[in-house]
């Protein structure tokens, strides 16, 4: 056993005869156009979690672009703040314009009209813009319009057109899987490792993690699972990940890809294909699902007992990639994905809905831990473990009196009873302080353990009615 000092929690083996409240915190990692932000190098927008509560705030902090393939976090901002209007969210941008730029500067010949010239670009690193023998704010000013992606150069004195200028541009090909995965050394955090800073920076516990455009890379998926498994040595979280549509335009291809690449962690949901809205914008399903989880959990006071499956999504159709011939599938066909642990969207009940209540570990008629059947199973267990640590962290290093032991037992029982009361748990959940889990050796070292056994309320995955014809009604012809 490793040395312990603090509150800890573990999701243990099931007890199945046949398992202060922490609110949901959604974290995202990817690339944002911080090259458009003045003073980006010292603005705290690279490799650190940033809390954002609106689309306007996102643009002012991270920039804005409609090219979501290059700037993946802009897709998240659109879904969270425009489509679903849910907030806040926590973003880690890994694009560092100082490092991820083209090797040589771009030269531009500025045509000046009425003292102004323009450059249309969302890859320009504005801080590198320069005109020979001129000084910004003395000879010219710069202003960027996020909606038109236009940098306007206003000259403060008369100049002769054209004017030569130079600037660097970001090169997104330099952002690789290893940049997303990141590292931590001597207090310097990059990539996914930057989420280690979330708790101490915002007093927030990461509960759902997504990386649209990146989670479809196996190395990133594995690192995401590692990130949400005892983050900071304590916190349990959940991953929403995608299967790439570029290489899987059919259901059989998607199923094979999932198996081949090992996308089967019980701490995750896996999605395929993508969704296109009425304006033609394409969203990764992991983006939509994470925002939906945030919304659904918020409606339930931060308690993740209700699956997002069969909840409406803003979509006009399933999307399988540019040039794909797949025209889509119905709910029955969608079930062939569900039975292998893939969540999708389908048209059902008059709406496009998210479809699939399972974790990525689920296989119909397969062998798996019972807690891995439904997403709400594992998410509720994670809620319980995080809640215990948050509520009793201040008790650490207090004298472990009998009264404190009983106080913790009573507090945890009260929380479990409350969860039963709202329908999040069923039956009689139990919290115990067991002798075999608290040996003399444990007590001598100040290590104490409480055991919780709980059954979360399962979703109504299917409902069947059996109707039969009968001739009994003919008796009405004959009266009494």
């Amino acid at each position: 056993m490793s040395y312990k000092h603090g509150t800890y929690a573990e999701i243990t083996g099931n007890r199945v005869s046949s398992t202060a409240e922490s609110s949901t915190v959604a974290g995202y990692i990817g690339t944002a156009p911080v090259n458009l932000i003045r003073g980006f190098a010292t603005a705290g927008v690279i490799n650190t979690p940033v809390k954002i509560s609106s689309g306007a705030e996102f643009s002012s902090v991270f920039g804005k672009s409609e090219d979501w393939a290059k700037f993946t976090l802009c897709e998240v901002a659109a879904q969270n703040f425009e489509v679903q209007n849910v907030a806040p969210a926590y973003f880690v941008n890994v694009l560092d314009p100082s490092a991820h730029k083209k090797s040589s500067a771009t030269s531009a010949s500025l045509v000046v009209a009425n003292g102004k010239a323009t450059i249309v670009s969302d890859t320009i690193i504005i801080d590198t813009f320069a005109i020979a023998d001129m000084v910004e704010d003395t000879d010219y000013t710069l202003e960027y319009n996020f909606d038109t992606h236009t940098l306007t150069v206003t000259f403060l004195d008369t100049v002769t057109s054209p004017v030569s200028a130079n600037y660097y541009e970001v090169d997104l090909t330099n952002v690789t899987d290893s940049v997303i995965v990141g590292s931590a050394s001597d207090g310097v955090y990059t990539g996914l490792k930057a989420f280690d800073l979330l708790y101490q920076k915002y007093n927030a516990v990461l509960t759902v993690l997504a990386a649209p455009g990146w989670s479809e890379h196996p190395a990133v998926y594995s690192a995401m699972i590692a990130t949400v498994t005892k983050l900071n040595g304590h916190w349990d979280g959940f991953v929403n990940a995608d299967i790439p549509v570029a290489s899987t335009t059919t259901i059989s291809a998607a199923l094979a890809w999932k198996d081949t690449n090992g996308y089967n962690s019980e701490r995750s949901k896996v999605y395929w294909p993508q969704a296109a809205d009425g304006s033609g914008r394409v969203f990764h399903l992991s983006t939509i699902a994470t925002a939906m989880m945030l919304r659904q959990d918020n409606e339930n006071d931060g308690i993740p007992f209700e699956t997002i499956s069969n909840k409406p999504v803003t979509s006009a159709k399933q999307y399988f990639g540019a040039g794909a011939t797949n025209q889509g599938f119905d709910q029955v066909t969608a079930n062939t994905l569900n039975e292998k642990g893939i969540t999708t969207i389908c048209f059902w009940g008059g709406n496009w809905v998210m479809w699939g209540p399972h974790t990525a570990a689920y296989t119909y008629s397969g062998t798996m831990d019972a807690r891995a059947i439904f997403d709400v199973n594992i998410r509720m267990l994670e809620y319980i473990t995080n809640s215990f640590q948050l509520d009793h962290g201040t008790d650490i290093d207090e004298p472990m009196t009998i009264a404190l032991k009983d106080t913790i037992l009573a507090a945890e029982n009260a929380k479990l009873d409350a969860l039963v009361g709202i329908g999040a748990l069923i039956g009689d959940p139990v919290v115990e302080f067991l002798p075999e889990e608290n040996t003399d050796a444990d007590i001598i070292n100040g290590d104490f353990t409480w055991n919780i056994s709980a059954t979360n309320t399962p979703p109504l995955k299917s409902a069947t009615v059996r109707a039969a014809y009968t001739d009994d009604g003919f008796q009405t012809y004959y009266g009494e």
Side-chain angles (χ1 to χ4, degrees):
M1 176 186 296
S2 61
Y3 173 79
K4 291 184 176 181
H5 184 192
T7 48
Y8 296 84
E10 299 173 0
I11 298 175
T12 65
N14 299 318
R15 298 185 179 187
V16 181
S17 303
S18 25
T19 163
E21 298 178 353
S22 54
S23 297
T24 299
V25 172
Y28 303 88
I29 189 169
T31 50
V34 295
N35 50 291
L36 306 177
I37 302 299
R38 303 307 306 268
F40 67 85
T42 58
V45 295
I46 302 169
N47 287 312
T48 190
V50 180
K51 180 181 180 180
I52 300 293
S53 297
S54 70
E57 183 182 12
F58 182 91
S59 296
S60 66
V61 172
F62 287 119
K64 181 180 179 181
S65 174
E66 286 72 44
D67 191 339
W68 297 347
K70 288 188 299 190
F71 304 111
T72 59
L73 293 179
C74 292
E75 174 190 334
V76 175
Q79 181 64 212
N80 283 43
F81 307 131
E82 296 176 26
V83 178
Q84 297 201 42
N85 194 27
V86 291
Y90 297 82
F91 296 84
V92 171
N93 162 63
V94 301
L95 177 62
D96 183 352
S98 298
H100 307 134
K101 65 182 180 181
K102 294 181 178 180
S103 58
S104 58
T106 298
S107 298
S109 181
L110 304 181
V111 177
V112 182
N114 298 319
K116 297 180 183 292
T118 59
I119 298 172
V120 178
S121 172
D122 63 0
T123 58
I124 182 174
I125 305 174
I126 298 178
D127 279 358
T128 66
F129 180 90
I131 300 174
D133 300 322
M134 289 191 185
V135 178
E136 185 180 357
D137 294 330
T138 298
D139 301 298
Y140 63 89
T141 61
L142 299 176
E143 183 179 2
Y144 190 82
N145 186 307
F146 290 119
D147 294 323
T148 61
H149 310 303
T150 301
L151 178 69
T152 299
V153 185
T154 301
F155 293 94
L156 302 180
D157 290 310
T158 302
V159 296
T160 301
S161 181
V163 174
S164 296
N166 294 283
Y167 56 86
Y168 280 89
E169 295 180 82
V170 290
D171 184 354
L172 277 299
T173 63
N174 290 329
V175 181
T176 61
D177 287 358
S178 62
V179 175
I180 297 292
V181 172
S183 63
S185 178
D186 296 328
V188 177
Y189 301 83
T190 64
L192 284 163
K193 290 295 185 181
F195 280 109
D196 286 1
L197 300 170
L198 182 64
Y199 180 63
Q200 69 186 55
K201 188 174 181 180
Y202 292 106
N203 192 27
V205 172
L206 179 67
T207 49
V208 185
L209 175 62
W214 293 99
S215 62
E216 60 196 48
H217 300 178
V220 173
Y221 173 76
S222 296
M224 292 173 71
I225 298 299
T227 297
V228 300
T229 304
K230 297 302 174 193
L231 182 63
N232 301 123
H234 293 273
W235 315 120
D236 295 307
F238 198 78
V239 166
N240 285 325
D242 297 290
I243 292 173
V245 297
S247 56
T248 58
T249 59
T250 64
I251 287 178
S252 59
L255 293 171
W257 193 96
K258 177 180 183 290
D259 287 342
T260 299
N261 291 281
Y263 276 47
N264 55 15
S265 170
E266 68 177 8
R267 291 179 179 266
S268 70
K269 285 178 73 71
V270 175
Y271 302 85
W272 183 88
Q274 296 176 1
D277 67 12
S279 65
R281 298 188 302 179
V282 177
F283 292 90
H284 291 84
L285 293 190
S286 69
T287 303
I288 299 174
T290 305
M292 289 177 70
M293 285 182 176
L294 183 59
R295 172 178 290 281
Q296 189 63 60
D297 293 353
N298 286 348
E299 291 177 358
N300 292 322
D301 295 324
I303 303 171
F305 71 93
E306 187 172 353
T307 182
I308 60 170
S309 182
N310 202 24
K311 301 294 191 298
V313 301
T314 302
S315 175
K317 64 178 181 178
Q318 299 152 338
Y319 181 79
F320 303 89
T325 58
N326 193 330
Q327 298 184 64
F329 47 83
D330 61 13
Q331 177 258 328
V332 172
T333 306
N335 286 344
T336 63
L337 292 165
N338 288 177
E339 68 181 14
K340 296 296 185 181
I342 298 176
T343 300
T344 187
I345 58 170
C346 66
F347 194 79
W348 180 246
N351 294 291
W352 283 97
V353 297
M354 193 66 67
W355 195 253
H358 304 296
T359 73
Y362 178 78
T363 300
Y364 180 63
S365 297
T367 301
M368 78 209 76
D369 199 309
R371 70 191 185 201
I373 295 176
F374 294 116
D375 49 19
V376 290
N377 291 3
I378 191 69
R379 292 194 67 216
M380 277 302 297
L381 289 176
E382 292 174 345
Y383 173 84
I384 290 171
T385 60
N386 289 340
S387 174
F388 178 90
Q389 296 175 89
L390 289 169
D391 287 352
H392 303 296
T394 55
D395 294 325
I396 295 303
D397 294 333
E398 293 294 321
M400 181 52 181
T401 62
I402 300 301
L404 180 55
K405 180 205 74 170
D406 291 339
T407 296
I408 294 175
L409 280 171
E412 292 303 304
N413 268 313
K415 287 194 295 184
L416 294 175
D417 289 343
L419 292 173
V420 172
I422 65 172
L425 300 178
I426 58 174
D428 296 306
V430 176
V431 55
E432 300 171 291
F433 187 85
L434 302 172
E436 59 269 27
E437 296 283 357
N438 294 278
T439 65
D440 288 349
D442 294 325
I443 294 173
I444 288 172
N445 283 284
D447 298 325
F448 297 87
T449 300
W450 287 259
N451 287 68
I452 294 176
S453 300
T455 305
N456 70 278
T457 305
L460 176 64
K461 183 175 71 68
S462 71
T464 302
V465 62
R466 293 188 170 92
Y469 174 84
T470 176
D471 60 4
D472 290 347
F474 293 160
Q475 297 305 313
T476 59
Y477 288 119
Y478 309 111
E480 294 293 334

